[in-house]
């Protein structure tokens, strides 16, 4: 009889512990997950398009400088002048390329930050807890790409 009593108490305890654990699991907050097609968003960004056009123009100017340097160096017959001009053109080309790279990186960082702000605002507005790029998600999540594209410049 005593063994049955302790068996029943143990069963009741196990039941209550299991019930409480289930209750805690059910009461955890639900997460809403959104996905976004980042390349699609970038392709609709007018700032990205403007940056590409500016970058193409800068690269064209750099290529013109390189062509000018090549033509001038080919026509130089004095070895010391050739080395001097070559060193000067290398400096000019390296400085121009460095300037282009720095401008591009700062502009792309600003555009990236602007797009992140739009994504964050859209996620908060729609009560999403997490936004992931579609490239890493196999299945699930609500696609918010179109909503973000409407709000970017």
């Amino acid at each position: 009889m005593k063994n049955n009593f302790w068996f029943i108490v143990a069963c009741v305890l196990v039941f209550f512990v299991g019930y409480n654990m289930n209750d805690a699991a059910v009461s955890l907050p639900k997460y809403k997950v959104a996905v976004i097609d980042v390349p699609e968003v970038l392709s609709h960004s007018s700032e990205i398009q403007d940056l590409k056009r500016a970058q193409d123009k800068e690269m064209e100017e750099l290529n013109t400088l390189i062509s000018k340097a090549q033509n001038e160096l080919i026509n130089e017959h004095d070895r010391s002048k050739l080395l001097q001009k070559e060193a000067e053109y290398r400096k000019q080309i390296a400085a121009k390329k460095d300037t282009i790279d720095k401008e591009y990186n700062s502009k792309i960082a600003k555009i990236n930050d602007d797009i992140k702000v739009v994504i964050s605002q859209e996620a908060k507005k729609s009560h999403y807890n997490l936004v992931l790029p579609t490239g890493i998600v196999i299945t699930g999540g609500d696609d918010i790409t179109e909503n973000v594209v409407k709000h970017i410049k």
Side-chain angles (χ1 to χ4, degrees):
M1 180 86 149
K2 231 179 184 183
N3 286 338
N4 284 342
F5 175 74
W6 288 113
F7 178 73
I8 292 172
V9 169
C11 288
V12 169
L13 283 174
V14 168
F15 172 76
F16 280 116
V17 168
Y19 181 78
N20 287 333
M21 288 177 69
N22 187 36
D23 187 44
V26 170
S27 66
L28 291 175
K30 300 284 183 188
Y31 278 89
K32 279 182 73 177
V33 178
V35 294
I36 188 159
D37 186 351
V38 176
E40 181 72 16
V41 170
L42 294 177
S43 73
H44 284 86
S45 170
S46 61
E47 289 178 312
I48 291 288
Q49 301 304 321
D50 292 343
L51 181 60
K52 283 181 182 178
R53 283 190 286 278
Q55 184 75 5
D56 289 344
K57 183 180 177 189
E58 294 285 338
M59 292 307 293
E60 191 175 303
E61 290 174 8
L62 183 62
N63 286 334
T64 301
L65 178 61
I66 292 170
S67 294
K68 178 184 172 192
Q70 287 173 338
N71 289 336
E72 197 169 316
L73 293 175
I74 287 173
N75 294 326
E76 185 59 59
H77 300 292
D78 185 359
R79 176 91 173 138
S80 64
K81 286 183 181 178
L82 175 69
L83 294 174
Q84 182 182 3
K85 285 183 180 182
E86 183 181 13
E88 288 173 17
Y89 277 120
R90 283 185 191 271
K91 279 184 186 178
Q92 286 180 1
I93 291 168
K96 178 88 171 154
K97 185 175 181 329
D98 189 46
T99 301
I100 290 170
D101 289 345
K102 285 180 182 175
E103 286 178 14
Y104 179 82
N105 290 337
S106 68
K107 288 178 182 176
I108 202 77
K110 183 193 176 303
I111 293 169
N112 189 30
D113 290 344
D114 292 346
I115 290 174
K116 282 182 183 177
V117 167
V118 172
I119 292 170
S120 179
Q121 289 172 345
E122 182 62 32
K124 286 178 185 174
K125 182 179 83 175
S126 300
H127 306 288
Y128 287 103
N129 304 88
L130 181 66
V131 179
L132 298 170
T134 55
I136 66 167
V137 176
I138 295 172
T139 184
D142 300 328
D143 193 345
I144 61 169
T145 304
E146 287 183 31
N147 297 340
V148 172
V149 166
K150 290 177 188 175
H151 292 93
I152 62 170
K153 297 178 183 178

